[in-house]
Amino acid sequence: MDISIIIPLLNESESLLELQTWINSVMEKHGFTHEIIFINDGSTDDSWEIIKQLHSEFDSVKGINFNKNYGKSQALHAGFIEAKGKVVITMDADLQDNPEEIPELYKLITEENYDLISGWKKKRYDSVVFKNLPSKLFNKAARWTSGLKLHDFNCGLKAYKLQVVKHINVNGEMHRYIPVLAKQAGFSRISEKVVQHQARKYGKTKFGAERFINGFLDLVTLWFFAKFGKRPMHFFGAIGVLMFLVGLLSAIWIGSSKLYKLWNGLPNILVVDNPWFYIALSAMIIGVQMFLAGFLGELVLRTKSNQKRYLISEKI
């Protein structure tokens, strides 16, 4: 099979038939063998009924129905597991991603041997204040922390080699930074292509202002795991030892100063009346806690087990 097209969706019943027709037209025009995998992420409208109808009419249409809304990352994860095409395309279901881009994305993967091509919506039809400007800030931060020179990390339209999607673990809300996950997994041939962005035709966006806060926190998490995910003791243990030593040396200095003054009959105060005593004590306690955090992190890393992150109620 040439192409697997993975489409996560939430309440997009109005656009599904038009999107499937458009994709089929492009696939037939270029002679691609393909499958379309719709992942219904807990929609409350008729999306799943429409997917089942499309499945009954077209052999290329497959569907996964989540028991409730788990988020885009979990939907992509489920789609990646089922994908069989040698090139995997992800796109949104709101008709803002153009299926006409698929053939060129396919060529970049198969003929130029890229591992991942990320779409770049250079011209956007979104709110400048609430989407465009925050996206530029996050993309700049992602470029700085990851070293990947991409302009639009969060574009839904992407193309992957099949082995890429089989070797990355998209969890939480890390769908925004899939290129970073791919790089961390050892896939280095990552680039981008300017793609056409279209104004939303039906409904309204499903993402609120909280996605910007979540996006920043996810980026911090991604940076931390890239640096210390396999060795948490190197981060927490190093800080813990440093803090403990600062506290210990401060306590020794306070005690030595007290003994010196007593020996020489100089005026002095009780150790517990010295504010530096509490600073030293706090530093040692924090140091021990940080060291234990690193130790526990190492234990968790060695004993963790993979757990199901979502419940599929039906698969077709």
Side-chain angles (χ1 to χ4, degrees):
M1 185 181 296
D2 295 322
I3 300 175
S4 292
I5 303 170
I6 298 174
I7 306 175
L9 61 106
L10 173 64
N11 296 333
E12 298 287 358
S13 59
E14 295 173 306
S15 63
L16 292 180
L17 179 58
E18 184 175 343
L19 177 60
Q20 190 271 340
T21 302
W22 195 357
I23 292 174
N24 269 2
S25 174
V26 173
M27 296 297 102
E28 290 175 2
K29 179 180 177 181
H30 293 271
F32 291 132
T33 56
H34 74 286
E35 62 180 357
I36 304 173
I37 305 174
F38 289 105
I39 300 95
N40 183 40
D41 188 19
S43 296
T44 55
D45 62 4
D46 295 330
S47 294
W48 183 240
E49 296 304 318
I50 294 174
I51 292 170
K52 290 197 291 185
Q53 178 185 342
L54 291 173
H55 170 71
S56 66
E57 297 176 4
F58 301 94
D59 293 336
S60 61
V61 174
K62 301 176 181 179
I64 297 173
N65 187 41
F66 280 0
N67 194 49
K68 66 174 186 177
N69 178 242
Y70 288 99
K72 189 173 182 179
S73 292
Q74 319 308 323
L76 288 174
H77 181 269
F80 288 164
I81 291 175
E82 298 296 330
K84 296 179 176 63
K86 63 181 179 181
V87 174
V88 178
I89 303 289
T90 60
M91 62 189 305
D92 295 334
D94 54 13
L95 297 176
Q96 290 191 281
D97 294 333
N98 190 337
E100 301 289 346
E101 303 282 356
I102 294 176
E104 185 62 30
L105 291 171
Y106 177 83
K107 288 181 181 179
L108 288 170
I109 298 294
T110 57
E111 296 181 9
E112 299 192 28
N113 200 33
Y114 283 104
D115 296 317
L116 188 157
I117 296 293
S118 181
W120 173 17
K121 297 174 181 177
K122 196 170 184 179
K123 182 179 180 181
R124 301 181 65 100
Y125 293 92
D126 294 321
S127 168
V128 174
V129 175
F130 294 105
K131 293 196 75 171
N132 290 6
L133 288 179
S135 292
K136 287 182 179 180
L137 291 174
F138 280 118
N139 285 319
K140 186 174 182 179
R143 286 194 296 273
W144 179 71
T145 56
S146 69
L148 286 173
K149 305 304 179 184
L150 302 180
H151 292 84
D152 192 356
F153 284 80
N154 195 31
C155 178
L157 185 57
K158 290 182 174 68
Y160 314 78
K161 283 183 178 177
L162 180 63
Q163 56 264 44
V164 174
V165 303
K166 299 300 184 182
H167 287 86
I168 59 175
N169 186 18
V170 188
N171 53 36
E173 294 188 27
M174 291 299 179
H175 60 273
R176 300 179 179 90
Y177 305 113
I178 288 181
V180 183
L181 295 174
K183 181 184 177 183
Q184 292 176 0
F187 299 100
S188 59
R189 288 189 56 78
I190 299 172
S191 188
E192 66 184 354
K193 177 187 180 298
V194 176
V195 296
Q196 181 181 350
H197 184 231
Q198 303 176 142
R200 174 178 275 274
K201 191 172 181 179
Y202 304 106
K204 59 182 180 179
T205 181
K206 310 301 188 300
F207 300 100
E210 71 279 358
R211 77 189 185 100
F212 302 124
I213 298 174
N214 294 340
F216 172 75
L217 295 176
D218 288 339
L219 185 59
V220 173
T221 301
L222 205 57
W223 171 84
F224 178 83
F225 275 100
K227 295 288 186 181
F228 306 104
K230 300 296 184 183
R231 51 188 195 280
M233 180 59 84
H234 289 195
F235 178 78
F236 293 105
I239 295 178
V241 169
L242 179 62
M243 291 290 292
F244 183 82
L245 287 177
V246 168
L248 180 62
L249 292 175
S250 298
I252 291 173
W253 177 78
I254 293 169
S256 300
S257 176
K258 173 73 173 181
L259 292 174
Y260 175 80
K261 290 179 180 179
L262 287 173
W263 182 265
N264 292 280
L266 298 174
N268 62 86
I269 60 174
L270 293 173
V271 170
V272 292
D273 289 336
N274 188 339
W276 284 103
F277 168 77
Y278 296 100
I279 294 175
L281 183 62
S282 298
M284 286 191 288
I285 293 173
I286 293 172
V288 171
Q289 290 177 330
M290 292 293 284
F291 185 87
L292 288 175
F295 181 71
L296 292 174
E298 294 284 345
L299 288 178
V300 170
L301 194 64
R302 285 162 171 73
T303 59
K304 70 175 182 179
S305 59
N306 294 323
Q307 298 179 348
K308 292 189 69 175
R309 302 195 304 268
Y310 46 83
L311 177 63
I312 296 174
S313 63
E314 191 175 355
K315 188 186 296 186
I316 56 175

